[in-house]
Amino acid sequence: MELAEAARSTVDRLRPAEPAGDWTHTLRGVARLVQAEHAVIVVEDAGSSRPLIAESAGPRHRASHATLSAAALASMRPLMGRIPAGTAMRSDELDYGCYALAAREQLDGLSIFVAAYRPHHAGDFAAADAARLEALLPVLRDTVSLHHSLGIFRQQTEGFSHVLENLDCAVILLDAAQRPVFMNGRAREIADAKDGLLIGTAGLTAARMGEARALQHAIVSAIEAAPACALASVYVHRDENRSPLKLDVISVGGGGGPRTAARVIVLIREPDAPRAFDREALSRTYDLTPREAELAVLLATGHTLSGAA
């Protein structure tokens, strides 16, 4: 139990500062835990020919964040095949030709291999070192799971953000504390204008008190309604020469997960804003030349024929 707590403490102290995809801090923690010169981690997916993670790091190992070479991976594979999942083995058990301590773990189709190395003058690893590394395996498994999930999430959100940025209306995503976690370009322009709708790091509000209360009620109701879908519309007036903004407040996601996850999506519609037209789609649909499509867009957005010519 003491070994498990020591192992967990070692990685937990380092993990919060570690950016996704960079294993330097964790591997240095592993090396220190077993007094090794450096440590390596290899994570492979059975369905992929290339490793998901293949890195090396240590307190005195400067080439720590470089991806392991194909030759280095090839030399490790005999070790990886001999170690049962959930266990750590020492040099005398591995017959590896250098002072090494290695362990392997499985996670939903992923194979996790971690090893630590010492120079000959430092002496071989002891049974207590193997116990420490073995106690560390559940923590490493959890860390790999987190990194793997974050990698998938990042790919999804990058595509999602691209879609939101190209919508023809302003979009704001709010977390459970009503703070904006995403605004597309048009929403940022509205925020900068400070005309009726006020958007800051603390959340959304309206300049008029009654509209501010209505907007607050809609946002709170959407957050509390999750995972059920809730929709409310709120109008926010701008200066007297412009039409009011229409805000559609919609609940998204469930009640679980981190508080920084999106819980509410706010779509801001501007009745007096010029509509965006896809000239290429217009050309393909109606068999127009680029100039004809441009002329059609100008006419559709209020220009006269003489002004558009």
Side-chain angles (χ1 to χ4, degrees):
M1 184 65 181
E2 290 180 2
L3 287 175
E5 288 303 318
R8 185 175 292 275
S9 173
T10 297
V11 173
D12 281 351
R13 282 200 311 272
L14 298 169
R15 192 166 43 186
E18 184 170 28
D22 183 354
W23 285 84
T24 305
H25 296 289
T26 293
L27 289 176
R28 284 178 175 168
V30 172
R32 292 190 185 98
L33 183 68
V34 296
Q35 298 181 321
E37 182 181 60
H38 69 278
V40 303
I41 186 168
V42 178
V43 179
E44 295 185 305
D45 187 336
S48 175
S49 59
R50 299 179 62 183
L52 301 176
I53 302 168
E55 296 186 23
S56 172
R60 296 176 298 280
H61 192 63
R62 293 304 301 166
S64 57
H65 195 209
T67 300
L68 293 173
S69 67
L73 286 169
S75 70
M76 293 175 189
R77 286 213 162 83
L79 271 72
M80 297 163 66
R82 291 203 300 268
I83 303 173
T87 60
M89 299 175 68
R90 294 182 292 143
S91 307
D92 56 350
E93 300 169 293
L94 294 168
D95 188 26
Y96 189 50
C98 68
Y99 291 154
L101 178 65
R104 191 172 68 86
E105 186 61 285
Q106 292 290 127
L107 170 69
D108 298 332
L110 300 180
S111 176
I112 305 166
F113 172 79
V114 60
Y117 299 90
R118 286 179 183 171
H120 282 285
H121 64 79
D124 203 352
F125 293 97
D129 297 317
R132 290 188 183 95
L133 186 59
E134 200 165 292
L136 191 64
L137 287 176
V139 183
L140 286 173
R141 185 184 59 226
D142 292 346
T143 308
V144 168
S145 177
L146 175 63
H147 278 248
H148 189 54
S149 299
L150 285 174
I152 295 172
F153 176 74
R154 187 178 297 106
Q155 291 175 355
Q156 292 173 336
T157 53
E158 283 174 355
F160 185 53
S161 298
H162 177 74
V163 171
L164 295 182
E165 282 289 355
N166 288 279
L167 287 180
D168 193 24
C169 65
V171 181
I172 302 173
L173 302 182
L174 306 177
D175 65 12
Q178 306 180 41
R179 297 169 303 199
V181 293
F182 173 85
M183 292 193 293
N184 69 356
R186 184 60 195 132
R188 290 190 292 272
E189 291 174 4
I190 292 174
D192 292 341
K194 295 181 174 61
D195 186 5
L197 184 64
L198 307 176
I199 308 170
T201 56
L204 274 66
T205 190
R208 298 188 181 188
M209 187 176 297
E211 293 174 353
R213 282 197 297 265
L215 180 56
Q216 171 72 9
H217 177 73
I219 293 170
V220 171
S221 297
I223 293 171
E224 293 177 347
C229 181
L231 168 64
S233 295
V234 178
Y235 286 88
V236 174
H237 286 81
R238 297 179 285 180
D239 67 46
E240 57 186 23
N241 297 320
R242 305 188 67 186
S243 300
L245 299 171
K246 181 190 178 188
L247 278 63
D248 291 325
V249 182
I250 309 165
S251 61
V252 294
R259 285 181 61 81
T260 53
R263 290 287 179 266
V264 177
I265 182 168
V266 180
L267 302 177
I268 307 173
R269 306 185 188 279
E270 304 167 87
D272 57 358
R275 295 182 59 193
F277 288 86
D278 188 333
R279 288 173 171 77
E280 290 186 10
L282 199 61
S283 296
R284 290 194 301 269
T285 303
Y286 295 102
D287 193 25
L288 303 176
T289 66
R291 175 55 186 155
E292 289 171 337
E294 183 180 357
L295 181 60
V297 168
L298 290 171
L299 293 173
T301 51
H303 292 77
T304 63
L305 185 59
S306 59

